[in-house]
């Protein structure tokens, strides 16, 4: 089995292959030569790109593989890839190229859904490269509308339009993104449901005419159509809607002759209770673990990847619909390399320390209780902007939704990374929120809600306590976070610690700025203390210029003040630098152009995210980049000089 993917899904497939006695082959680029999935596989072969169809098929032939598992992302929903695999006499673990062509396009999938009697959202089509048909342009009463790419998925090429004046710009932007991502700029314009819930049904079909559903998932907690949290079963669904979506999903799969695992997505209008077909994902989904953790057949959990392999080998499904039962609740959190509390900007760098919750034996195990981790990120690994920013998934299972939610909060407390900012702290705040607890979050909630960043006070207290301990150690002492730990001898005097502000630490009295602190343990960079009677733990590293702390998933870097810094320098001087490493998609401004506050100067992209760079104030712009240029973090892109000439 050639595994045509990378990261956690490649590991997931490799483990499933091993369980079925199949030899696995990993493909990898030069950047991934020492990646975990490469080391884990039985064999490995290099390709220039995971998106190179000819190279992937050639790799399968060269290594003697007779089947290919595409995972998700990359080539997994490319009909051209499926056809190339078929033409090479190989087996694709997934549907046929013909089915993929039909269901991979939202416009064609709609027609099939209608033929199967599945309810669909009212929609109009704008043909690729052309203008809208006369009856396609929405009138004022139709707004808001959703503009989205007919091809592809993952939220790419999607725009919500509330004002008719913004329609043309939204279509142009969606077309550009769709063409870049999918090679097709055909656009659909649909009714936009203001308060919707994203419901999807897992289906499984074999080549012998058997189709079953494995109940539904709720993926409503999403931002800009990118899923953040997923759960199964759906917490707000009625028995009537459950019957509608599950039976519709099976009918759709039968109508198109689907074989293997797939997901049928629906939009549930929370205001009317109506459910509409959205699209079908002709592959395994990122969120498949929550289904594995709650679905039982004869009391046993399912392994969807092993079932995929069995179906691809021509075996019939070993159970029928009447054998499928639900047990408990599961919630999954996607961990991304992004700074969620500061614009959701993608992050890159070296993960100096990685701490995932749970035991290593629980990873990728559908039978695991409590916490499961599907991840490939490990200490010392470089995270670049070349690939999707998802680093892994933390999944919790419980006998009901609340026990699963609380287990996930605890698991995210135990998730920590150093050297790289992630969204783990944001996820922890979100899962602990009243809104998620009460299941009131709809698909648009994260696009307008303000999720408050947690206070840095606890992290600062732990940082100061640790810094003071390091400052009082003798030069020959071992570092406190290496080896078996440390012990403080003597009765050190109070210490003034300079972090982002001055902190007074009295270790002998057990206080930090007067707050009682009692240390429990400190080993391998994990500091465990009680603060004012409350137990807290954090991953800590004391460097020469800063103290880094990750507490409840949130990474903080407390930089000591630079005594040599020029106090006359100030922020907001009109210089726009790259907030992330990436590619300049377009430069809208011309050198020497007069700009107004908020004017878009250019657009850059990294890790599938577009960011518009705007003028901070009125003035003249100095353009320092060109279209398509690769830029590093902090690179100067534009400089706006005010009319007064001092760029201030």
């Amino acid at each position: 089995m050639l595994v045509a993917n990378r990261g956690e899904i490649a590991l997931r497939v490799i483990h499933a292959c091993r369980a079925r006695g199949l030899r696995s082959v990993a493909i990898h680029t030069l950047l991934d030569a020492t990646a975990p999935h490469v080391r884990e596989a039985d064999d490995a072969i290099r390709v220039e790109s995971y998106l190179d169809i000819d190279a992937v098929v050639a790799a399968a032939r060269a290594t003697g593989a007779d089947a290919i598992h595409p995972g998700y992302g990359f080539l997994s929903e490319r009909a051209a890839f499926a056809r190339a695999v078929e033409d090479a006499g190989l087996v694709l673990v997934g549907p046929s190229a013909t089915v993929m062509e039909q269901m991979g396009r939202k416009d064609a999938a709609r027609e099939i859904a209608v033929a199967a009697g599945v309810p669909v959202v009212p929609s109009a089509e704008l043909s690729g490269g052309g203008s809208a048909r006369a009856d396609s342009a929405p009138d004022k009463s139709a707004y808001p509308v959703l503009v989205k790419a007919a091809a592809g998925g993952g939220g790419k090429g999607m725009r919500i339009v509330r004002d008719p004046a913004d329609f043309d710009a939204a279509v142009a932007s969606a077309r550009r993104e769709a063409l870049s991502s999918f090679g097709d700029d055909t656009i659909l314009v649909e009714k936009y449901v203001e308060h919707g819930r994203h419901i999807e049904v897992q289906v499984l079909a074999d080549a012998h005419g058997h189709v079953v559903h494995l109940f539904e998932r709720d993926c409503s907690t999403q931002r800009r159509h990118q899923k953040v949290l997923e759960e199964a079963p759906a917490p707000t669904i009625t028995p009537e809607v459950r019957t509608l979506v599950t039976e519709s999903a099976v009918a759709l799969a039968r109508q198109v002759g689907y074989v293997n695992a797939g997901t049928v997505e629906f939009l549930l209008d929370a205001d009317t209770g109506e459910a509409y077909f959205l699209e079908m994902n002709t592959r395994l989904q990122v969120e498949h673990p929550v289904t594995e953790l709650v679905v039982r057949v004869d009391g046993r959990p399912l392994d969807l990847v092993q079932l995929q392999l069995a179906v691809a080998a021509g075996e019939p499904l070993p159970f029928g619909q009447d054998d499928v039962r639900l047990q408990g609740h599961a919630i999954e959190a996607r961990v991304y390399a992004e700074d969620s509390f500061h614009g959701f900007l993608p992050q890159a760098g070296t993960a100096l320390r990685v701490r995932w919750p749970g035991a290593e034996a629980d990873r990728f195990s559908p039978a695991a209780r409590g916490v499961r981790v599907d991840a490939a990120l490990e200490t010392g690994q470089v995270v670049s902007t070349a690939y999707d920013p998802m680093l892994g998934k933390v999944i919790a299972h419980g006998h009901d939704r609340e026990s699963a939610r609380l287990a996930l909060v605890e698991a995210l407390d135990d998730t920590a990374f150093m050297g790289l900012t992630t969204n783990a702290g944001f996820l922890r705040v979100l899962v602990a929120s009243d809104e998620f607890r009460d299941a009131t979050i709809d698909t648009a909630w994260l696009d307008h809600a303000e999720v408050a960043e947690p206070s840095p006070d606890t992290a600062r207290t732990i940082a100061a306590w640790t810094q003071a301990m390091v400052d009082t150690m003798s030069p020959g002492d071992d570092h406190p976070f290496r080896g078996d730990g440390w012990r403080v001898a003597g009765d050190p005097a109070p210490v003034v610690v300079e972090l982002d502000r001055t902190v007074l630490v009295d270790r002998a009295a057990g206080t930090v700025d007067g707050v009682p602190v009692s240390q429990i343990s400190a080993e391998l960079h994990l500091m465990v203390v009680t603060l004012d009677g409350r137990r807290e733990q954090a991953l800590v590293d004391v460097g020469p210029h800063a103290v880094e702390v990750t507490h409840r998933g949130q990474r903080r870097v407390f930089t000591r003040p630079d005594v040599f810094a020029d106090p006359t320098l100030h922020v907001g001087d009109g210089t726009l630098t790259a907030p992330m490493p990436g590619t300049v998609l377009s430069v809208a401004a011309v050198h020497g152009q007069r700009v107004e506050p908020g004017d878009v100067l250019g657009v850059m992209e990294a890790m599938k995210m577009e960011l518009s760079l705007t003028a901070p104030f009125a003035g003249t712009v100095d353009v320092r980049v060109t279209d398509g240029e690769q830029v590093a973090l902090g690179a100067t892109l534009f400089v706006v000089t005010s009319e007064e000439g001092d760029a201030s």
Side-chain angles (χ1 to χ4, degrees), residues 34-312:
T34 59
H37 76 282
V38 177
R39 302 197 309 268
E40 189 75 9
D42 297 311
D43 196 359
I45 184 170
R46 178 181 162 188
V47 295
E48 291 302 314
S49 168
Y50 293 101
L51 295 174
D52 189 330
I53 292 175
D54 292 339
V56 172
V57 173
R61 284 172 163 167
T63 55
D66 53 12
I68 299 177
H69 195 303
Y72 40 70
F74 290 141
L75 298 173
S76 62
E77 291 186 287
R78 297 280 183 93
F81 175 61
R83 196 165 301 284
V85 173
E86 294 169 5
D87 291 345
L90 304 173
V91 174
L92 180 72
V93 182
S96 68
T98 300
V99 169
M100 201 175 289
E101 284 171 346
Q102 293 175 299
M103 302 310 296
R105 291 189 56 87
K106 296 179 180 66
D107 47 0
R110 281 174 55 86
E111 296 177 3
I112 295 170
V114 170
V118 177
V120 298
V121 183
S123 176
E125 178 182 326
L126 294 99
S127 300
S131 59
R133 298 193 307 262
D135 61 351
S136 296
D139 57 35
K140 291 183 179 181
S141 64
Y143 289 88
V145 297
L146 180 66
V147 173
K148 68 179 186 180
K156 302 295 286 183
M158 280 192 180
R159 303 291 186 273
I160 299 169
V161 186
R162 300 183 182 280
D163 190 328
D166 299 328
F167 181 74
D168 289 344
V171 170
S173 177
R175 280 198 196 282
R176 182 180 70 243
E177 193 171 41
L179 188 62
S180 172
S181 300
F182 315 122
D184 187 329
D185 63 355
T186 302
I187 296 295
L188 295 179
V189 182
E190 293 182 346
K191 166 189 173 182
Y192 178 66
V193 176
E194 285 283 7
H195 303 290
R197 298 194 71 88
H198 183 115
I199 307 295
E200 59 186 33
V201 179
Q202 178 72 61
V203 294
L204 195 61
D206 63 23
H208 305 276
H210 306 125
V211 183
V212 298
H213 70 76
L214 303 179
F215 291 98
E216 81 289 339
R217 301 183 285 255
D218 187 311
C219 307
S220 300
T221 307
Q222 53 186 255
R223 177 181 176 273
R224 295 184 178 179
H225 311 291
Q226 293 284 347
K227 299 167 187 174
V228 178
L229 301 173
E230 302 105 347
E231 56 185 310
T236 63
I237 200 169
T238 65
E240 295 76 17
V241 172
R242 169 172 286 159
T243 298
L244 172 65
V245 296
T246 54
E247 290 184 354
S248 292
V250 170
L252 182 67
R254 288 190 188 281
Q255 179 73 24
V256 77
Y258 197 87
V259 174
N260 217 270
T263 304
V264 183
E265 300 192 348
F266 297 87
L267 179 63
L268 176 62
D269 190 332
D271 294 328
T272 67
E274 295 177 292
Y276 303 107
F277 167 73
L278 284 177
E279 63 181 331
M280 185 174 192
N281 290 291
T282 54
R283 54 173 169 79
L284 194 67
Q285 291 279 86
V286 174
E287 57 273 21
H288 75 273
V290 295
T291 294
E292 291 182 324
L293 289 172
V294 300
V295 170
R296 297 290 184 272
V297 171
D298 295 330
R300 298 188 303 273
L302 298 181
D303 185 319
L304 281 173
V305 179
Q306 289 197 45
L307 286 168
Q308 280 191 295
L309 300 179
V311 168

Side-chain angles (χ1 to χ4, degrees), residues 484-567:
D484 297 327
W486 59 276
R487 298 290 184 272
V488 174
D491 193 16
V495 176
V496 173
V497 177
E498 294 288 349
L499 296 174
D500 58 331
R501 66 171 175 79
T502 300
V503 183
L504 180 64
V505 180
D506 189 335
R507 289 182 56 82
T511 61
V512 176
D513 276 349
V515 176
V517 179
S518 176
Q519 185 171 304
I520 297 174
S521 64
E523 297 186 60
L524 301 176
H525 290 264
L526 183 66
M527 177 68 80
V528 184
V529 299
T530 59
L531 301 182
D532 203 13
R534 185 184 68 255
R535 182 186 174 102
E536 301 285 358
Q537 69 176 37
L539 212 60
V540 188
D541 186 56
V542 178
H545 306 295
V547 181
E548 184 174 347
V549 178
T550 302
H551 171 251
R552 294 187 176 180
Q554 185 64 33
R555 175 176 177 251
R556 308 269 184 191
V557 179
F558 297 102
T559 305
R560 300 184 184 87
D562 184 356
V563 297
F564 300 104
D566 184 352

Side-chain angles (χ1 to χ4, degrees), residues 23 146 189 275 359 372 513 525 576 580 617 640:
R23 174 174 166 266
L146 180 66
V189 182
R372 164 176 163 178
D513 276 349
H525 290 264
L576 280 75
M580 54 189 176
F617 44 73
V640 178

Side-chain angles (χ1 to χ4, degrees), residues 437-519:
R437 179 198 64 199
D438 299 337
T440 59
I441 295 177
D442 59 33
T443 55
W445 189 82
L446 269 178
D447 290 331
H448 58 72
E450 187 69 32
V451 178
E453 182 176 2
S455 168
D457 291 349
T458 297
R460 183 188 295 108
T461 297
I462 295 174
W465 179 267
T466 309
Q467 178 67 68
M469 178 271 296
V470 172
D471 289 344
T472 58
M473 294 182 68
S474 301
D477 290 345
D478 289 336
H479 192 284
F481 296 103
R482 298 186 191 282
D484 297 327
W486 59 276
R487 298 290 184 272
V488 174
D491 193 16
V495 176
V496 173
V497 177
E498 294 288 349
L499 296 174
D500 58 331
R501 66 171 175 79
T502 300
V503 183
L504 180 64
V505 180
D506 189 335
R507 289 182 56 82
T511 61
V512 176
D513 276 349
V515 176
V517 179
S518 176
Q519 185 171 304

